[in-house]
Structures are given as C-alpha cells and as structure tokens.
mmCIF file of all heavy atoms in Angstrom:
data_model
loop_
_atom_site.group_PDB
_atom_site.id
_atom_site.type_symbol
_atom_site.label_atom_id
_atom_site.label_comp_id
_atom_site.label_asym_id
_atom_site.label_seq_id
_atom_site.Cartn_x
_atom_site.Cartn_y
_atom_site.Cartn_z
ATOM 1 N N MET J 1 -10.224 -11.775 -2.037
ATOM 2 C CA MET J 1 -8.974 -11.844 -1.301
ATOM 3 C C MET J 1 -8.788 -10.554 -0.506
ATOM 4 O O MET J 1 -8.964 -9.468 -1.021
ATOM 5 C CB MET J 1 -7.823 -12.008 -2.299
ATOM 6 C CG MET J 1 -6.447 -11.986 -1.666
ATOM 7 S SD MET J 1 -5.174 -12.159 -2.920
ATOM 8 C CE MET J 1 -4.307 -10.641 -2.634
ATOM 9 N N ALA J 2 -8.435 -10.688 0.723
ATOM 10 C CA ALA J 2 -8.183 -9.517 1.567
ATOM 11 C C ALA J 2 -6.715 -9.126 1.467
ATOM 12 O O ALA J 2 -5.848 -9.964 1.248
ATOM 13 C CB ALA J 2 -8.532 -9.839 3.010
ATOM 14 N N SER J 3 -6.449 -7.847 1.630
ATOM 15 C CA SER J 3 -5.069 -7.374 1.615
ATOM 16 C C SER J 3 -4.331 -7.884 2.846
ATOM 17 O O SER J 3 -4.925 -8.141 3.889
ATOM 18 C CB SER J 3 -5.023 -5.854 1.595
ATOM 19 O OG SER J 3 -5.434 -5.367 0.342
ATOM 20 N N TYR J 4 -3.016 -8.009 2.690
ATOM 21 C CA TYR J 4 -2.162 -8.473 3.777
ATOM 22 C C TYR J 4 -0.948 -7.566 3.869
ATOM 23 O O TYR J 4 -0.325 -7.255 2.846
ATOM 24 C CB TYR J 4 -1.705 -9.912 3.515
ATOM 25 C CG TYR J 4 -0.624 -10.368 4.462
ATOM 26 C CD1 TYR J 4 -0.933 -10.748 5.765
ATOM 27 C CD2 TYR J 4 0.709 -10.405 4.068
ATOM 28 C CE1 TYR J 4 0.060 -11.159 6.647
ATOM 29 C CE2 TYR J 4 1.706 -10.818 4.939
ATOM 30 C CZ TYR J 4 1.372 -11.196 6.223
ATOM 31 O OH TYR J 4 2.348 -11.599 7.093
ATOM 32 N N VAL J 5 -0.636 -7.130 5.079
ATOM 33 C CA VAL J 5 0.565 -6.337 5.325
ATOM 34 C C VAL J 5 1.436 -7.116 6.301
ATOM 35 O O VAL J 5 1.031 -7.390 7.431
ATOM 36 C CB VAL J 5 0.228 -4.945 5.902
ATOM 37 C CG1 VAL J 5 1.496 -4.150 6.154
ATOM 38 C CG2 VAL J 5 -0.703 -4.180 4.975
ATOM 39 N N SER J 6 2.625 -7.473 5.851
ATOM 40 C CA SER J 6 3.553 -8.245 6.669
ATOM 41 C C SER J 6 3.953 -7.470 7.924
ATOM 42 O O SER J 6 4.117 -6.252 7.875
ATOM 43 C CB SER J 6 4.802 -8.556 5.848
ATOM 44 O OG SER J 6 5.827 -9.059 6.670
ATOM 45 N N PRO J 7 4.127 -8.165 9.037
ATOM 46 C CA PRO J 7 4.615 -7.493 10.254
ATOM 47 C C PRO J 7 5.960 -6.786 10.042
ATOM 48 O O PRO J 7 6.257 -5.810 10.720
ATOM 49 C CB PRO J 7 4.758 -8.639 11.260
ATOM 50 C CG PRO J 7 3.820 -9.688 10.779
ATOM 51 C CD PRO J 7 3.811 -9.581 9.276
ATOM 52 N N ALA J 8 6.727 -7.249 9.069
ATOM 53 C CA ALA J 8 8.040 -6.648 8.798
ATOM 54 C C ALA J 8 7.930 -5.196 8.349
ATOM 55 O O ALA J 8 8.845 -4.399 8.567
ATOM 56 C CB ALA J 8 8.787 -7.465 7.751
ATOM 57 N N ILE J 9 6.799 -4.842 7.700
ATOM 58 C CA ILE J 9 6.644 -3.451 7.234
ATOM 59 C C ILE J 9 5.421 -2.763 7.844
ATOM 60 O O ILE J 9 5.069 -1.659 7.454
ATOM 61 C CB ILE J 9 6.578 -3.369 5.690
ATOM 62 C CG1 ILE J 9 5.349 -4.111 5.147
ATOM 63 C CG2 ILE J 9 7.866 -3.856 5.071
ATOM 64 C CD1 ILE J 9 5.045 -3.782 3.711
ATOM 65 N N ARG J 10 4.786 -3.415 8.793
ATOM 66 C CA ARG J 10 3.581 -2.852 9.417
ATOM 67 C C ARG J 10 3.842 -1.464 9.998
ATOM 68 O O ARG J 10 3.027 -0.560 9.848
ATOM 69 C CB ARG J 10 3.076 -3.804 10.505
ATOM 70 C CG ARG J 10 1.941 -3.296 11.362
ATOM 71 C CD ARG J 10 0.625 -3.204 10.687
ATOM 72 N NE ARG J 10 0.136 -4.486 10.222
ATOM 73 C CZ ARG J 10 -0.995 -4.612 9.552
ATOM 74 N NH1 ARG J 10 -1.753 -3.574 9.307
ATOM 75 N NH2 ARG J 10 -1.381 -5.793 9.130
ATOM 76 N N GLU J 11 4.992 -1.261 10.643
ATOM 77 C CA GLU J 11 5.298 0.027 11.265
ATOM 78 C C GLU J 11 5.345 1.149 10.215
ATOM 79 O O GLU J 11 4.769 2.216 10.414
ATOM 80 C CB GLU J 11 6.633 -0.051 12.001
ATOM 81 C CG GLU J 11 6.957 1.194 12.797
ATOM 82 C CD GLU J 11 8.232 1.046 13.622
ATOM 83 O OE1 GLU J 11 8.578 -0.082 14.003
ATOM 84 O OE2 GLU J 11 8.855 2.076 13.867
ATOM 85 N N GLN J 12 5.978 0.891 9.078
ATOM 86 C CA GLN J 12 6.033 1.896 8.009
ATOM 87 C C GLN J 12 4.653 2.126 7.410
ATOM 88 O O GLN J 12 4.278 3.264 7.121
ATOM 89 C CB GLN J 12 7.020 1.470 6.907
ATOM 90 C CG GLN J 12 8.451 1.495 7.330
ATOM 91 C CD GLN J 12 8.899 0.222 8.048
ATOM 92 O OE1 GLN J 12 8.121 -0.712 8.270
ATOM 93 N NE2 GLN J 12 10.164 0.175 8.433
ATOM 94 N N PHE J 13 3.907 1.052 7.231
ATOM 95 C CA PHE J 13 2.560 1.166 6.671
ATOM 96 C C PHE J 13 1.688 2.049 7.557
ATOM 97 O O PHE J 13 0.925 2.876 7.061
ATOM 98 C CB PHE J 13 1.946 -0.236 6.531
ATOM 99 C CG PHE J 13 0.563 -0.233 5.959
ATOM 100 C CD1 PHE J 13 0.364 -0.108 4.598
ATOM 101 C CD2 PHE J 13 -0.550 -0.375 6.774
ATOM 102 C CE1 PHE J 13 -0.918 -0.107 4.054
ATOM 103 C CE2 PHE J 13 -1.826 -0.382 6.257
ATOM 104 C CZ PHE J 13 -2.008 -0.247 4.888
ATOM 105 N N GLU J 14 1.805 1.895 8.848
ATOM 106 C CA GLU J 14 0.974 2.648 9.790
ATOM 107 C C GLU J 14 1.295 4.142 9.801
ATOM 108 O O GLU J 14 0.493 4.936 10.291
ATOM 109 C CB GLU J 14 1.094 2.068 11.196
ATOM 110 C CG GLU J 14 0.451 0.699 11.349
ATOM 111 C CD GLU J 14 -1.043 0.680 11.051
ATOM 112 O OE1 GLU J 14 -1.718 1.705 11.255
ATOM 113 O OE2 GLU J 14 -1.538 -0.375 10.613
ATOM 114 N N THR J 15 2.433 4.551 9.248
ATOM 115 C CA THR J 15 2.765 5.982 9.201
ATOM 116 C C THR J 15 2.016 6.697 8.081
ATOM 117 O O THR J 15 1.996 7.926 8.040
ATOM 118 C CB THR J 15 4.281 6.216 9.013
ATOM 119 O OG1 THR J 15 4.680 5.726 7.734
ATOM 120 C CG2 THR J 15 5.085 5.550 10.118
ATOM 121 N N LEU J 16 1.405 5.947 7.176
ATOM 122 C CA LEU J 16 0.669 6.548 6.066
ATOM 123 C C LEU J 16 -0.659 7.117 6.557
ATOM 124 O O LEU J 16 -1.183 6.705 7.590
ATOM 125 C CB LEU J 16 0.416 5.504 4.980
ATOM 126 C CG LEU J 16 1.660 4.838 4.385
ATOM 127 C CD1 LEU J 16 1.244 3.696 3.472
ATOM 128 C CD2 LEU J 16 2.520 5.843 3.655
ATOM 129 N N SER J 17 -1.207 8.039 5.769
ATOM 130 C CA SER J 17 -2.504 8.614 6.132
ATOM 131 C C SER J 17 -3.589 7.543 6.052
ATOM 132 O O SER J 17 -3.445 6.538 5.346
ATOM 133 C CB SER J 17 -2.849 9.765 5.192
ATOM 134 O OG SER J 17 -3.182 9.260 3.903
ATOM 135 N N VAL J 18 -4.668 7.774 6.769
ATOM 136 C CA VAL J 18 -5.790 6.827 6.773
ATOM 137 C C VAL J 18 -6.327 6.641 5.359
ATOM 138 O O VAL J 18 -6.582 5.504 4.930
ATOM 139 C CB VAL J 18 -6.906 7.307 7.727
ATOM 140 C CG1 VAL J 18 -8.147 6.454 7.591
ATOM 141 C CG2 VAL J 18 -6.403 7.314 9.160
ATOM 142 N N ASN J 19 -6.476 7.732 4.623
ATOM 143 C CA ASN J 19 -7.004 7.625 3.255
ATOM 144 C C ASN J 19 -6.100 6.787 2.364
ATOM 145 O O ASN J 19 -6.575 5.958 1.589
ATOM 146 C CB ASN J 19 -7.191 9.012 2.640
ATOM 147 C CG ASN J 19 -8.355 9.753 3.251
ATOM 148 O OD1 ASN J 19 -9.240 9.150 3.863
ATOM 149 N ND2 ASN J 19 -8.363 11.066 3.098
ATOM 150 N N LEU J 20 -4.795 7.002 2.483
ATOM 151 C CA LEU J 20 -3.848 6.249 1.662
ATOM 152 C C LEU J 20 -3.848 4.772 2.049
ATOM 153 O O LEU J 20 -3.841 3.897 1.180
ATOM 154 C CB LEU J 20 -2.449 6.851 1.785
ATOM 155 C CG LEU J 20 -1.386 6.312 0.843
ATOM 156 C CD1 LEU J 20 -1.848 6.344 -0.600
ATOM 157 C CD2 LEU J 20 -0.099 7.098 1.018
ATOM 158 N N LYS J 21 -3.880 4.489 3.334
ATOM 159 C CA LYS J 21 -3.944 3.094 3.773
ATOM 160 C C LYS J 21 -5.202 2.427 3.232
ATOM 161 O O LYS J 21 -5.145 1.288 2.757
ATOM 162 C CB LYS J 21 -3.912 2.997 5.299
ATOM 163 C CG LYS J 21 -2.564 3.289 5.896
ATOM 164 C CD LYS J 21 -2.498 2.952 7.367
ATOM 165 C CE LYS J 21 -3.189 3.977 8.202
ATOM 166 N NZ LYS J 21 -2.946 3.825 9.647
ATOM 167 N N ASN J 22 -6.312 3.118 3.270
ATOM 168 C CA ASN J 22 -7.562 2.550 2.750
ATOM 169 C C ASN J 22 -7.465 2.285 1.254
ATOM 170 O O ASN J 22 -7.933 1.247 0.772
ATOM 171 C CB ASN J 22 -8.738 3.466 3.061
ATOM 172 C CG ASN J 22 -9.120 3.425 4.517
ATOM 173 O OD1 ASN J 22 -8.833 2.470 5.223
ATOM 174 N ND2 ASN J 22 -9.762 4.481 4.988
ATOM 175 N N MET J 23 -6.857 3.220 0.508
ATOM 176 C CA MET J 23 -6.692 3.028 -0.939
ATOM 177 C C MET J 23 -5.852 1.784 -1.220
ATOM 178 O O MET J 23 -6.139 1.026 -2.140
ATOM 179 C CB MET J 23 -6.030 4.257 -1.570
ATOM 180 C CG MET J 23 -6.926 5.465 -1.636
ATOM 181 S SD MET J 23 -6.058 6.917 -2.264
ATOM 182 C CE MET J 23 -5.875 6.476 -3.977
ATOM 183 N N ILE J 24 -4.815 1.579 -0.431
ATOM 184 C CA ILE J 24 -3.950 0.411 -0.610
ATOM 185 C C ILE J 24 -4.715 -0.862 -0.282
ATOM 186 O O ILE J 24 -4.698 -1.830 -1.050
ATOM 187 C CB ILE J 24 -2.683 0.538 0.262
ATOM 188 C CG1 ILE J 24 -1.809 1.697 -0.236
ATOM 189 C CG2 ILE J 24 -1.910 -0.769 0.285
ATOM 190 C CD1 ILE J 24 -0.696 2.089 0.710
ATOM 191 N N LEU J 25 -5.390 -0.883 0.853
ATOM 192 C CA LEU J 25 -6.090 -2.087 1.286
ATOM 193 C C LEU J 25 -7.228 -2.475 0.355
ATOM 194 O O LEU J 25 -7.534 -3.659 0.192
ATOM 195 C CB LEU J 25 -6.599 -1.906 2.721
ATOM 196 C CG LEU J 25 -5.510 -1.755 3.780
ATOM 197 C CD1 LEU J 25 -6.130 -1.444 5.137
ATOM 198 C CD2 LEU J 25 -4.628 -3.001 3.854
ATOM 199 N N GLU J 26 -7.847 -1.490 -0.295
ATOM 200 C CA GLU J 26 -8.939 -1.763 -1.239
ATOM 201 C C GLU J 26 -8.453 -2.521 -2.473
ATOM 202 O O GLU J 26 -9.246 -3.099 -3.202
ATOM 203 C CB GLU J 26 -9.594 -0.459 -1.685
ATOM 204 C CG GLU J 26 -10.428 0.189 -0.615
ATOM 205 C CD GLU J 26 -10.875 1.592 -0.992
ATOM 206 O OE1 GLU J 26 -10.519 2.078 -2.082
ATOM 207 O OE2 GLU J 26 -11.578 2.207 -0.172
ATOM 208 N N ARG J 27 -7.157 -2.523 -2.704
ATOM 209 C CA ARG J 27 -6.592 -3.157 -3.892
ATOM 210 C C ARG J 27 -6.353 -4.654 -3.725
ATOM 211 O O ARG J 27 -5.895 -5.310 -4.656
ATOM 212 C CB ARG J 27 -5.278 -2.469 -4.269
ATOM 213 C CG ARG J 27 -5.510 -1.061 -4.718
ATOM 214 C CD ARG J 27 -4.211 -0.299 -4.837
ATOM 215 N NE ARG J 27 -4.491 1.023 -5.353
ATOM 216 C CZ ARG J 27 -4.405 1.352 -6.634
ATOM 217 N NH1 ARG J 27 -3.994 0.488 -7.515
ATOM 218 N NH2 ARG J 27 -4.714 2.567 -7.018
ATOM 219 N N ASN J 28 -6.636 -5.188 -2.547
ATOM 220 C CA ASN J 28 -6.447 -6.621 -2.307
ATOM 221 C C ASN J 28 -5.033 -7.068 -2.670
ATOM 222 O O ASN J 28 -4.833 -7.942 -3.514
ATOM 223 C CB ASN J 28 -7.489 -7.448 -3.066
ATOM 224 C CG ASN J 28 -8.875 -7.154 -2.578
ATOM 225 O OD1 ASN J 28 -9.103 -6.953 -1.392
ATOM 226 N ND2 ASN J 28 -9.818 -7.103 -3.493
ATOM 227 N N VAL J 29 -4.057 -6.433 -2.037
ATOM 228 C CA VAL J 29 -2.655 -6.709 -2.314
ATOM 229 C C VAL J 29 -2.001 -7.437 -1.148
ATOM 230 O O VAL J 29 -2.504 -7.430 -0.027
ATOM 231 C CB VAL J 29 -1.864 -5.411 -2.594
ATOM 232 C CG1 VAL J 29 -2.334 -4.771 -3.890
ATOM 233 C CG2 VAL J 29 -1.985 -4.429 -1.439
ATOM 234 N N THR J 30 -0.869 -8.056 -1.426
ATOM 235 C CA THR J 30 -0.039 -8.676 -0.401
ATOM 236 C C THR J 30 1.252 -7.875 -0.325
ATOM 237 O O THR J 30 1.981 -7.779 -1.313
ATOM 238 C CB THR J 30 0.278 -10.141 -0.754
ATOM 239 O OG1 THR J 30 -0.955 -10.857 -0.813
ATOM 240 C CG2 THR J 30 1.187 -10.769 0.289
ATOM 241 N N LEU J 31 1.492 -7.273 0.826
ATOM 242 C CA LEU J 31 2.682 -6.458 1.017
ATOM 243 C C LEU J 31 3.630 -7.193 1.957
ATOM 244 O O LEU J 31 3.410 -7.233 3.164
ATOM 245 C CB LEU J 31 2.305 -5.086 1.593
ATOM 246 C CG LEU J 31 1.281 -4.297 0.788
ATOM 247 C CD1 LEU J 31 0.888 -3.034 1.529
ATOM 248 C CD2 LEU J 31 1.817 -3.974 -0.589
ATOM 249 N N GLU J 32 4.648 -7.782 1.384
ATOM 250 C CA GLU J 32 5.622 -8.548 2.162
ATOM 251 C C GLU J 32 6.833 -7.710 2.555
ATOM 252 O O GLU J 32 7.497 -7.990 3.538
ATOM 253 C CB GLU J 32 6.098 -9.766 1.370
ATOM 254 C CG GLU J 32 5.033 -10.795 1.122
ATOM 255 C CD GLU J 32 4.660 -11.600 2.346
ATOM 256 O OE1 GLU J 32 5.385 -11.546 3.356
ATOM 257 O OE2 GLU J 32 3.627 -12.296 2.292
ATOM 258 N N ASN J 33 7.138 -6.688 1.725
ATOM 259 C CA ASN J 33 8.330 -5.886 1.965
ATOM 260 C C ASN J 33 8.119 -4.465 1.440
ATOM 261 O O ASN J 33 7.078 -4.159 0.852
ATOM 262 C CB ASN J 33 9.562 -6.538 1.313
ATOM 263 C CG ASN J 33 9.331 -6.820 -0.156
ATOM 264 O OD1 ASN J 33 8.883 -5.956 -0.898
ATOM 265 N ND2 ASN J 33 9.626 -8.049 -0.582
ATOM 266 N N MET J 34 9.110 -3.616 1.652
ATOM 267 C CA MET J 34 8.982 -2.217 1.241
ATOM 268 C C MET J 34 8.844 -2.088 -0.272
ATOM 269 O O MET J 34 8.157 -1.200 -0.757
ATOM 270 C CB MET J 34 10.189 -1.396 1.731
ATOM 271 C CG MET J 34 10.154 -1.116 3.217
ATOM 272 S SD MET J 34 8.690 -0.208 3.754
ATOM 273 C CE MET J 34 8.973 1.371 2.978
ATOM 274 N N ASN J 35 9.467 -2.969 -1.024
ATOM 275 C CA ASN J 35 9.346 -2.914 -2.476
ATOM 276 C C ASN J 35 7.894 -3.105 -2.907
ATOM 277 O O ASN J 35 7.409 -2.402 -3.808
ATOM 278 C CB ASN J 35 10.252 -3.963 -3.134
ATOM 279 C CG ASN J 35 10.355 -3.777 -4.623
ATOM 280 O OD1 ASN J 35 10.587 -2.674 -5.107
ATOM 281 N ND2 ASN J 35 10.183 -4.859 -5.353
ATOM 282 N N ASP J 36 7.202 -4.043 -2.281
ATOM 283 C CA ASP J 36 5.777 -4.250 -2.578
ATOM 284 C C ASP J 36 4.979 -2.985 -2.289
ATOM 285 O O ASP J 36 4.123 -2.572 -3.084
ATOM 286 C CB ASP J 36 5.205 -5.399 -1.747
ATOM 287 C CG ASP J 36 5.788 -6.749 -2.105
ATOM 288 O OD1 ASP J 36 6.369 -6.899 -3.200
ATOM 289 O OD2 ASP J 36 5.665 -7.667 -1.265
ATOM 290 N N LEU J 37 5.258 -2.348 -1.162
ATOM 291 C CA LEU J 37 4.550 -1.134 -0.784
ATOM 292 C C LEU J 37 4.832 -0.013 -1.781
ATOM 293 O O LEU J 37 3.914 0.685 -2.222
ATOM 294 C CB LEU J 37 4.949 -0.708 0.635
ATOM 295 C CG LEU J 37 4.309 0.559 1.176
ATOM 296 C CD1 LEU J 37 2.787 0.473 1.153
ATOM 297 C CD2 LEU J 37 4.816 0.843 2.587
ATOM 298 N N ILE J 38 6.076 0.145 -2.163
ATOM 299 C CA ILE J 38 6.452 1.188 -3.121
ATOM 300 C C ILE J 38 5.753 0.970 -4.456
ATOM 301 O O ILE J 38 5.258 1.925 -5.071
ATOM 302 C CB ILE J 38 7.983 1.244 -3.285
ATOM 303 C CG1 ILE J 38 8.612 1.791 -1.999
ATOM 304 C CG2 ILE J 38 8.385 2.088 -4.484
ATOM 305 C CD1 ILE J 38 10.109 1.619 -1.914
ATOM 306 N N GLN J 39 5.671 -0.269 -4.909
ATOM 307 C CA GLN J 39 4.999 -0.565 -6.180
ATOM 308 C C GLN J 39 3.525 -0.163 -6.139
ATOM 309 O O GLN J 39 2.996 0.403 -7.098
ATOM 310 C CB GLN J 39 5.135 -2.038 -6.538
ATOM 311 C CG GLN J 39 6.529 -2.410 -6.972
ATOM 312 C CD GLN J 39 6.662 -3.892 -7.280
ATOM 313 O OE1 GLN J 39 5.782 -4.701 -6.959
ATOM 314 N NE2 GLN J 39 7.769 -4.264 -7.890
ATOM 315 N N VAL J 40 2.855 -0.446 -5.042
ATOM 316 C CA VAL J 40 1.447 -0.072 -4.911
ATOM 317 C C VAL J 40 1.311 1.445 -4.883
ATOM 318 O O VAL J 40 0.436 2.013 -5.537
ATOM 319 C CB VAL J 40 0.808 -0.706 -3.656
ATOM 320 C CG1 VAL J 40 -0.598 -0.189 -3.443
ATOM 321 C CG2 VAL J 40 0.809 -2.215 -3.759
ATOM 322 N N LEU J 41 2.192 2.120 -4.148
ATOM 323 C CA LEU J 41 2.142 3.582 -4.089
ATOM 324 C C LEU J 41 2.381 4.190 -5.460
ATOM 325 O O LEU J 41 1.706 5.149 -5.844
ATOM 326 C CB LEU J 41 3.163 4.110 -3.076
ATOM 327 C CG LEU J 41 2.870 3.768 -1.615
ATOM 328 C CD1 LEU J 41 4.057 4.151 -0.741
ATOM 329 C CD2 LEU J 41 1.600 4.431 -1.141
ATOM 330 N N GLU J 42 3.315 3.635 -6.215
ATOM 331 C CA GLU J 42 3.577 4.137 -7.566
ATOM 332 C C GLU J 42 2.367 3.965 -8.471
ATOM 333 O O GLU J 42 2.052 4.841 -9.280
ATOM 334 C CB GLU J 42 4.796 3.441 -8.171
ATOM 335 C CG GLU J 42 6.104 3.911 -7.567
ATOM 336 C CD GLU J 42 7.316 3.146 -8.069
ATOM 337 O OE1 GLU J 42 7.161 2.043 -8.655
ATOM 338 O OE2 GLU J 42 8.435 3.649 -7.865
ATOM 339 N N SER J 43 1.668 2.850 -8.345
ATOM 340 C CA SER J 43 0.483 2.635 -9.177
ATOM 341 C C SER J 43 -0.626 3.622 -8.807
ATOM 342 O O SER J 43 -1.352 4.102 -9.678
ATOM 343 C CB SER J 43 -0.006 1.190 -9.091
ATOM 344 O OG SER J 43 -0.577 0.913 -7.846
ATOM 345 N N ILE J 44 -0.748 3.958 -7.531
ATOM 346 C CA ILE J 44 -1.738 4.945 -7.099
ATOM 347 C C ILE J 44 -1.398 6.312 -7.686
ATOM 348 O O ILE J 44 -2.275 7.025 -8.185
ATOM 349 C CB ILE J 44 -1.823 5.000 -5.563
ATOM 350 C CG1 ILE J 44 -2.450 3.706 -5.028
ATOM 351 C CG2 ILE J 44 -2.613 6.225 -5.094
ATOM 352 C CD1 ILE J 44 -2.384 3.543 -3.527
ATOM 353 N N VAL J 45 -0.134 6.672 -7.669
ATOM 354 C CA VAL J 45 0.296 7.963 -8.223
ATOM 355 C C VAL J 45 0.005 8.013 -9.720
ATOM 356 O O VAL J 45 -0.531 9.003 -10.217
ATOM 357 C CB VAL J 45 1.805 8.204 -7.959
ATOM 358 C CG1 VAL J 45 2.325 9.386 -8.753
ATOM 359 C CG2 VAL J 45 2.057 8.408 -6.479
ATOM 360 N N LYS J 46 0.334 6.937 -10.454
ATOM 361 C CA LYS J 46 0.082 6.905 -11.895
ATOM 362 C C LYS J 46 -1.398 7.045 -12.202
ATOM 363 O O LYS J 46 -1.782 7.753 -13.133
ATOM 364 C CB LYS J 46 0.625 5.608 -12.498
ATOM 365 C CG LYS J 46 2.119 5.587 -12.621
ATOM 366 C CD LYS J 46 2.597 4.270 -13.209
ATOM 367 C CE LYS J 46 4.112 4.210 -13.172
ATOM 368 N NZ LYS J 46 4.614 2.894 -13.596
ATOM 369 N N GLU J 47 -2.240 6.382 -11.422
ATOM 370 C CA GLU J 47 -3.687 6.500 -11.627
ATOM 371 C C GLU J 47 -4.150 7.932 -11.363
ATOM 372 O O GLU J 47 -5.002 8.449 -12.064
ATOM 373 C CB GLU J 47 -4.428 5.536 -10.733
ATOM 374 C CG GLU J 47 -4.302 4.105 -11.164
ATOM 375 C CD GLU J 47 -4.957 3.130 -10.209
ATOM 376 O OE1 GLU J 47 -5.710 3.564 -9.310
ATOM 377 O OE2 GLU J 47 -4.703 1.921 -10.337
ATOM 378 N N GLY J 48 -3.597 8.553 -10.339
ATOM 379 C CA GLY J 48 -3.956 9.935 -10.015
ATOM 380 C C GLY J 48 -3.548 10.903 -11.103
ATOM 381 O O GLY J 48 -4.251 11.868 -11.393
ATOM 382 N N GLU J 49 -2.416 10.637 -11.742
ATOM 383 C CA GLU J 49 -1.931 11.504 -12.809
ATOM 384 C C GLU J 49 -2.786 11.375 -14.061
ATOM 385 O O GLU J 49 -2.915 12.314 -14.832
ATOM 386 C CB GLU J 49 -0.477 11.168 -13.140
ATOM 387 C CG GLU J 49 0.488 11.580 -12.061
ATOM 388 C CD GLU J 49 1.913 11.116 -12.312
ATOM 389 O OE1 GLU J 49 2.134 10.255 -13.189
ATOM 390 O OE2 GLU J 49 2.808 11.620 -11.617
ATOM 391 N N SER J 50 -3.377 10.214 -14.272
ATOM 392 C CA SER J 50 -4.155 9.982 -15.497
ATOM 393 C C SER J 50 -5.589 10.497 -15.358
ATOM 394 O O SER J 50 -6.325 10.549 -16.331
ATOM 395 C CB SER J 50 -4.158 8.500 -15.856
ATOM 396 O OG SER J 50 -4.859 7.745 -14.892
ATOM 397 N N GLU J 51 -5.988 10.870 -14.166
ATOM 398 C CA GLU J 51 -7.376 11.351 -13.963
ATOM 399 C C GLU J 51 -7.504 12.813 -14.336
ATOM 400 O O GLU J 51 -6.654 13.593 -14.297
ATOM 401 C CB GLU J 51 -7.793 11.159 -12.506
ATOM 402 C CG GLU J 51 -8.000 9.709 -12.170
ATOM 403 C CD GLU J 51 -8.445 9.501 -10.729
ATOM 404 O OE1 GLU J 51 -8.568 10.465 -9.962
ATOM 405 O OE2 GLU J 51 -8.676 8.336 -10.389
#
C-alpha cells in the first residue's frame, strides 16, 4: 500500500523537511487530516526516543 496525503493537508505536509516527509511516506499511511499527520509524527518521535 502506498501512502496517501489528502489535498486538504498537502500544503502543511509540504512544509516538512524532505527527510521527515520520506520517513512518513515509508510508513504506508493515509493522511486525511491534521490529526492523522500529528499521530504519525508522534510515533516517529517515540521511536526516536527509544533508540
């Protein structure tokens, strides 16, 4: 499954760094709204803290 970013939040998504966008897209997620994006970002932070 490929990741999907809704046009509703595409503008905010594009403000992220290239590395962060790639990390998000590698997770095969569906981002319909800002809450979805925040949840993915929080999971990335938690993984980074556990390393």
